[in-house]
């Protein structure tokens, strides 16, 4: 084991019970700090995700001259510098593990009057950036990348951007958002059309900061040359973090768990539909709106799950939830089929390969396909599984271990701090058998 590597030991705990509040939404936190930085006036963010990904974005904006105070846990006070107030930084800007950070910042930086270089960790340095570079170059941005596609991204000072009408070949909120953020600096109306609607947080938050934006599922339009006005943002709890508990309480007998004030944006909650189709017992108690987003308390009780064919139309609405869904499927009765999900191969890891290998290592029956998998439910045993440094693989396998017949060692879990700091303690408090593994000598 390499020095500093964090492994977990996981095994069945007790029935999951009690009330949990998972941390703030990662997507919303990134966008709040970016728009707060470009706004005029002081924005206040509450419920900001204190994760490595979102902190990396805040640290980059601070290096670009934005004063950001952190008066308490999950709180940020951002002294916005206005649309043209950022100034160039010496040296590369480190996005860490975050694809959202790098792709959105690429759009935001494409319109600046200074050069920037965006870098990331080993995982991010393997992820495709051509999907944002292409449309940004069409807008007039000058961006270089390794082999035309990979980080680091060298973004040259802009000579002015031109709006485009962009038909995205991929259903990606990051691509849409990069183009829209560049569109703030472009002459004319920028339009993005998606092959399938994706999360619309950028659009909603631009509107909350006072920028005129027109959007409907699958389409967004805005014009350059307006202003962002500081505002308050209350970030809802992250549905993707809640997802691990929705699956865990569904599969562990006797569980009855309440998750408080979870963000319920319909472009995020596809897993709810999939789990319900599998027979899950989840009740929603709408709890109003938080920062313009619907939120709900979710009560989840153990249920017998059965396999389904996941409708391809649901895939973008649950794109981050497949590691959790795979675990539900591996413990359900019968077969679950996933297709139309090739995007999972370019996430923090190749999630189709990583989940298939991890479940197989515990005796699960999973056959990978080019764009999905066929999972046959059954029993899982103990063993060692590799997270590939991917936060969601690590957390999903901690859930799987709650129904394993032996202890599961999950390797390389430090990156869970990118999206869900405190996961081990929170999960253990709910009943998980989960702890950091003692360092090997
Ligand atoms: C995100 C969009 C999705 C998602 C990621 C967050 C965002 O990525 O997987 O975790 O905040 O816009 P893609 O745009 O690559 O689908």
């Amino acid at each position: 084991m390499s020095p500093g590597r964090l492994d977990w030991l996981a095994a069945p705990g007790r029935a999951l019970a009690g009330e949990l509040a998972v941390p703030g939404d990662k997507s919303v936190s990134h966008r709040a700090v970016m728009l707060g930085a470009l706004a005029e006036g002081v924005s206040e963010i509450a419920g900001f995700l204190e994760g490595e990904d979102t902190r990396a974005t805040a640290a980059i904006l601070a290096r670009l001259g934005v004063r950001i105070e952190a008066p308490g846990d999950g709180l940020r006070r951002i002294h916005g510098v206005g649309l043209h107030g950022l100034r160039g930084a010496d040296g590369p800007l480190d996005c860490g593990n975050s694809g959202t950070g790098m792709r959105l910042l690429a759009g935001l930086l494409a319109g600046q009057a200074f050069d920037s270089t965006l870098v990331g960790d080993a995982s991010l340095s393997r992820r495709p950036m051509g999907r944002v570079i292409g449309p940004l170059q069409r807008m007039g941005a000058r961006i270089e990348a390794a082999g035309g596609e990979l980080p680091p991204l060298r973004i040259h000072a802009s000579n002015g951007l031109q709006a485009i009408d962009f038909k995205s070949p991929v259903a990606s909120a990051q691509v849409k958002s990069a183009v829209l953020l560049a569109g703030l600096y472009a002459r004319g109306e920028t339009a993005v059309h998606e092959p399938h609607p994706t999360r619309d947080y950028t659009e909603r938050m631009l509107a909350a900061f006072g920028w005129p934006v027109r959007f409907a599922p699958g389409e967004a339009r805005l014009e350059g040359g307006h202003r962002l006005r500081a505002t308050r943002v209350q970030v809802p709890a992250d549905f993707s973090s809640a997802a691990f508990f929705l699956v865990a309480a569904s599969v562990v007998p006797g569980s009855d768990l309440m998750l408080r004030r979870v963000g319920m944006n319909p472009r995020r909650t596809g897993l709810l539909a999939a789990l319900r189709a599998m027979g899950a017992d989840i009740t929603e108690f709408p709890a109003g709106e938080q920062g313009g987003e619907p939120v709900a308390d979710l009560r989840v009780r153990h249920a017998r799950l059965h396999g389904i064919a996941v409708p391809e139309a649901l895939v973008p609405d649950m794109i981050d939830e497949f590691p959790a869904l795979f675990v539900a499927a591996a413990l359900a009765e019968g077969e679950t089929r996933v297709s139309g999900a090739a995007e999972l191969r370019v996430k923090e890891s190749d999630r189709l390969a990583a989940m298939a290998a991890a479940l197989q290592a515990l005796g699960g029956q999973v056959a990978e396909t080019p764009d999905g998998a066929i999972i046959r439910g059954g029993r899982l045993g103990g063993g060692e599984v590799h997270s590939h440094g991917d936060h969601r693989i690590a957390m999903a396998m901690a859930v799987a271990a709650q129904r394993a017949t032996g202890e599961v060692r999950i390797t390389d879990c430090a990156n869970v701090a990118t999206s869900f700091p405190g996961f081990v303690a929170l999960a253990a408090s709910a009943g998980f058998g989960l702890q950091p593994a003692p360092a090997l000598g």
Side-chain angles (χ1 to χ4, degrees), residues 366-382:
V366 185
E368 242 183 277
T369 64
D371 67 342
I374 301 165
I375 304 148
R376 178 153 284 286
R379 282 159 65 89
L380 297 176

Side-chain angles (χ1 to χ4, degrees), residues 26-27 31 100 103-104 127 131 171-175 177 199 319-320 343 347-348 392:
K26 182 152 71 72
S27 295
R31 288 154 171 86
T100 308
R103 296 196 179 113
L104 270 59
R127 296 183 64 187
R131 52 181 59 194
S172 162
Q174 294 177 2
V175 171
S177 301
R199 63 191 74 187
I319 192 65
D320 293 332
E343 271 294 299
K347 294 295 178 187
E348 286 82 330
R392 298 203 200 283

Side-chain angles (χ1 to χ4, degrees), residues 39 45 59 63 86 133 192 249 277 303 364 377 382 388 399 424:
I45 307 177
R63 287 200 44 214
L86 297 179
I133 296 171
V192 182
H388 297 270
V399 174
V424 170

Side-chain angles (χ1 to χ4, degrees), residues 108-350:
L108 189 159
L109 291 170
Q112 306 299 327
F114 51 81
D115 295 348
S116 313
T117 300
L118 293 172
V119 300
D121 71 4
S123 152
L124 184 53
S125 299
R126 289 190 293 269
R127 296 183 64 187
M129 295 296 147
R131 52 181 59 194
V132 289
I133 296 171
L136 294 175
Q137 284 176 337
R138 271 185 56 204
M139 298 177 81
R142 294 180 302 142
I143 305 180
E144 289 155 35
E149 164 81 344
L150 298 176
L153 300 185
R154 290 180 213 292
I155 303 169
H156 295 282
S158 167
N159 303 323
L161 299 181
Q162 184 59 46
I164 56 170
D165 189 283
F166 179 56
K167 287 193 175 43
S168 180
V170 27
S172 162
Q174 294 177 2
V175 171
K176 170 176 62 178
S177 301
V179 173
L180 292 177
L181 290 172
L184 304 183
Y185 293 90
R187 277 183 307 274
E189 184 188 72
T190 294
V192 182
H193 314 273
E194 302 180 287
H196 191 285
T198 66
R199 63 191 74 187
D200 55 3
Y201 297 124
T202 302
E203 299 91 305
R204 287 176 185 234
M205 199 161 294
L206 281 166
F209 277 86
W211 195 286
V213 47
R214 287 184 288 146
F215 59 102
E219 191 171 288
R221 293 171 187 276
L222 55 76
E223 279 174 10
H226 295 278
R227 296 165 144 199
L228 295 166
R229 284 187 304 274
T231 188
R232 282 171 193 268
V233 179
Q234 175 71 51
V235 181
D238 197 320
F239 184 89
S240 295
S241 296
F244 299 104
F245 293 99
L246 294 178
V247 171
S250 294
V251 300
V252 174
S255 295
D256 185 350
L257 196 63
M258 184 71 106
L259 297 161
R260 289 290 181 204
R261 305 191 70 78
V262 180
M264 297 295 288
N265 183 307
R267 299 276 75 85
R268 292 294 298 286
T269 50
L271 180 75
L272 263 186
L275 286 177
R276 283 180 173 148
M278 296 173 81
D281 179 356
I282 302 171
T283 315
E284 275 170 57
F285 301 95
E289 286 209 344
Q290 204 156 301
E293 295 289 333
V295 295
D297 296 334
L298 298 177
R299 181 178 185 187
V300 50
R301 283 175 281 193
H302 170 68
R304 281 172 71 98
L305 301 184
H306 55 82
I308 57 164
V310 178
E312 289 195 9
L314 265 191
V315 168
D317 294 348
M318 55 181 291
I319 192 65
D320 293 332
E321 277 54 86
F322 281 94
L325 185 274
F326 271 48
V327 171
L331 293 165
E333 226 171 83
E335 193 173 88
T336 294
R337 288 177 172 265
V338 174
S339 59
E343 271 294 299
L344 296 176
R345 296 204 181 275
V346 292
K347 294 295 178 187
E348 286 82 330
S349 68
D350 174 343

